Amino acid sequence: MKNFIFLSPNFPPTYWQFCRELRNNGLRVLGIGDAPYDELLDELKGSLDEYYKVGSLENYDEVYRAVAFFAFKYGRIDYLESNNEYWLERDAKLRDDFNVSTGFHSKDMTPVKFKSKMKANYEKAGIPVARYYLVEDLEGCKKFIKKVGYPVIAKPDNGVGASGTYKINNLKELKAFLEDKPDELYIMEEFIDATITSYDAIVDSHSNPIFETGNVTPVSLLEVVNNMEDSCFYIRKEIPEDLRARGRAALKSFGVKSRMVHFEFFTLNCDQHIGKKGDIVALEVNMRPSGGISPNMMNFAHHVNIFKIWADMIAYDSSEAANSDYHAFCGFLGRRDGLEHKMSDEQLLKEYADHLVLSGRVEDALSGAMGNRMFICNFDTEKELMDFYKKTFELK
């Protein structure tokens, strides 16, 4: 029996389903986390062969001892994974130390964690990238901005999501950014007038996609986070062929094997130096599933079980569960507590009852980017989806 260690299997809360499907496929599933066992979901408890609680997942020595305990008790560790961006480097170091041959190792981390280093692999795949500058001082920033113009975007070179991201519109804001930014390496990029779209895939051991989908984020995640606004994004009914081609080229360029990935691209809103309106250019790669509720939305959109497809990939390097004849637009609407809308929650639930597939509170840890209350609906056409957003996004 193969041993699979799942790091932090309780977060996001839906991740217990990865564990269940692994166990259904005959793997021994061993969890390591910092939540007390009694606080785990019953579904997660039933999906683990054993759970080891550590005081903090941030403490490498504690986590190392937990892995060593499982290795001593059950033998060689075949897989170690968290499917979580925050723990990618931790996962890689543990694979180094316990000679786990599957998955990324520390030597592989630079081009998949540092935004400045991702660009070379995107370019190797023939995908244009935004111009950038690794922030050193005011004069260097001014020289870069003289070349690309305002606004510019500054964010941690090794960061997660929109956390710590700045949009800088003038010299005053530039000076404030340099005074306020955390003491870490920042990358400054030219502003691209575009809509964020993604290529999401479950990939076999030969860098071939078993399952593909993608999402679109019509509103700026930066504005959602920084201004505490409502949020929305949707899973596409079908992937455009140009996006599929870009995604597959990136899989090969980055050497992705036996993973679920979330590659982010820009679809240009107008002609720019980087390309023509509608062209797809690079943003960044995330070597883990799309965050939050996205895996469930993929299930709703395509009538599949993402968690099973992923577990089948681990166990069999393929999955018949990836095949489906049903496809829809699955839209997420996140509303922020304290904001009033022209259509109330109650009206929304009534008017869209036939389309609603899930509603409820968003986990506090995810609410910064997603809002506090979620409403997820399926639609046959993109027009129906856009009409939904037009009616439900309006504030009083």
Side-chain angles (χ1 to χ4, degrees):
M1 180 180 289
K2 291 188 175 181
N3 296 314
F4 192 111
I5 290 181
F6 207 113
L7 194 70
S8 188
N10 57 305
F11 186 83
T14 55
Y15 273 21
W16 67 267
Q17 295 172 85
F18 285 123
C19 299
R20 177 190 64 191
E21 299 302 336
L22 287 171
R23 200 173 188 199
N24 286 344
N25 282 347
L27 281 77
R28 180 183 287 117
V29 187
L30 308 166
I32 299 174
D34 52 18
Y37 181 77
D38 290 345
E39 294 181 8
L40 300 181
L41 293 173
D42 289 340
E43 295 90 342
L44 176 56
K45 292 177 184 176
S47 302
L48 297 174
D49 288 277
E50 188 167 351
Y51 179 73
Y52 190 114
K53 182 192 176 301
V54 295
S56 170
L57 287 170
E58 300 282 358
N59 187 321
Y60 186 80
D61 289 341
E62 279 194 276
V63 179
Y64 179 96
R65 287 195 295 271
V67 177
F69 170 79
F70 282 146
F72 175 78
K73 184 172 181 179
Y74 296 109
R76 180 179 179 83
I77 304 304
D78 299 287
Y79 305 92
L80 187 148
E81 185 61 75
S82 66
N83 276 345
N84 192 313
E85 183 81 18
Y86 189 79
W87 301 116
L88 279 184
E89 291 168 296
R90 169 62 48 83
D91 295 349
K93 180 165 175 51
L94 288 167
R95 293 190 197 104
D96 293 345
D97 290 345
F98 288 91
N99 195 29
V100 179
S101 60
T102 55
F104 288 117
H105 290 78
S106 295
K107 63 180 176 59
D108 306 312
M109 282 292 99
T110 298
V112 302
K113 284 294 292 179
F114 289 86
K115 295 175 176 60
S116 59
K117 303 300 182 183
M118 295 173 186
K119 293 178 182 290
N121 276 7
Y122 267 131
E123 290 179 312
K124 188 169 71 172
I127 304 170
V129 301
R131 293 171 289 183
Y132 74 99
Y133 163 69
L134 289 176
V135 174
E136 293 182 1
D137 53 29
L138 176 61
E139 290 307 311
C141 291
K142 288 167 67 175
K143 183 177 180 181
F144 173 71
I145 294 170
K146 184 177 180 180
K147 179 169 61 175
V148 303
Y150 286 109
V152 291
I153 303 296
K155 52 193 174 183
D157 195 31
N158 182 3
V160 180
S163 177
T165 299
Y166 299 76
K167 184 177 181 181
I168 300 167
N169 297 287
N170 51 52
L171 181 60
K172 181 180 178 181
E173 291 181 5
L174 173 62
K175 290 180 178 179
F177 154 70
L178 290 171
E179 290 178 2
D180 297 341
K181 79 173 185 67
D183 185 19
E184 59 182 292
L185 182 63
Y186 260 67
I187 182 173
M188 181 175 287
E189 294 181 312
E190 63 181 318
F191 177 77
I192 304 295
D193 184 357
T195 300
I196 295 177
T197 186
S198 77
Y199 170 85
D200 296 82
I202 297 175
V203 188
D204 70 14
S205 62
H206 304 287
S207 299
N208 298 314
I210 295 172
F211 174 83
E212 297 169 296
T213 187
N215 68 40
V216 177
T217 306
V219 297
S220 166
L221 183 59
L222 176 60
E223 303 298 330
V224 169
V225 173
N226 288 351
N227 300 332
M228 297 297 284
E229 297 177 352
D230 289 351
S231 70
C232 71
F233 70 96
Y234 61 92
I235 305 296
R236 282 184 141 129
K237 188 173 186 175
E238 296 176 338
I239 307 178
E241 286 306 312
D242 53 352
L243 176 60
R244 189 190 306 273
R246 294 291 205 205
R248 290 183 175 183
L251 290 179
K252 300 291 186 182
S253 180
F254 281 91
V256 178
K257 296 179 180 179
S258 303
R259 298 194 69 79
M260 187 170 182
V261 298
H262 175 64
F263 288 0
E264 293 179 317
F265 295 90
F266 284 130
T267 301
L268 300 183
N269 293 331
C270 58
D271 292 354
Q272 296 162 68
H273 84 90
I274 199 171
K276 300 292 186 182
K277 180 179 179 180
D279 284 354
I280 295 171
V281 301
L283 177 51
E284 61 186 64
V285 298
N286 300 278
M287 297 296 179
R288 43 77 179 169
S290 183
I293 200 71
S294 295
N296 301 72
M297 290 176 60
M298 295 173 191
N299 291 344
F300 299 143
H302 303 295
H303 277 196
V304 294
N305 183 339
I306 287 294
F307 305 100
K308 176 170 174 52
I309 299 170
W310 176 85
D312 286 353
M313 174 273 293
I314 294 293
Y316 315 121
D317 210 26
S318 64
S319 179
E320 294 182 2
N323 302 319
S324 173
D325 294 327
Y326 176 90
H327 303 282
F329 291 95
C330 184
F332 176 94
L333 171 66
R335 286 185 160 181
R336 192 77 60 182
D337 288 347
L339 300 181
E340 291 189 64
H341 301 80
K342 290 184 178 179
M343 179 181 287
S344 69
D345 290 2
E346 292 73 19
Q347 290 173 307
L348 188 161
L349 290 169
K350 182 178 180 180
E351 182 163 340
Y352 290 97
D354 292 341
H355 297 274
L356 195 72
V357 292
L358 185 67
S359 64
R361 297 288 298 180
V362 176
E363 288 283 322
D364 288 344
L366 302 173
S367 63
M370 298 177 68
N372 306 105
R373 311 184 310 280
M374 63 179 175
F375 305 87
I376 300 175
C377 295
N378 268 12
F379 298 94
D380 289 332
T381 68
E382 191 168 17
K383 182 182 184 305
E384 288 178 295
L385 173 64
M386 291 300 111
D387 287 344
F388 166 70
Y389 283 142
K390 288 176 184 176
K391 287 184 178 181
T392 58
F393 233 63
E394 293 178 327
L395 298 175
K396 280 189 177 180

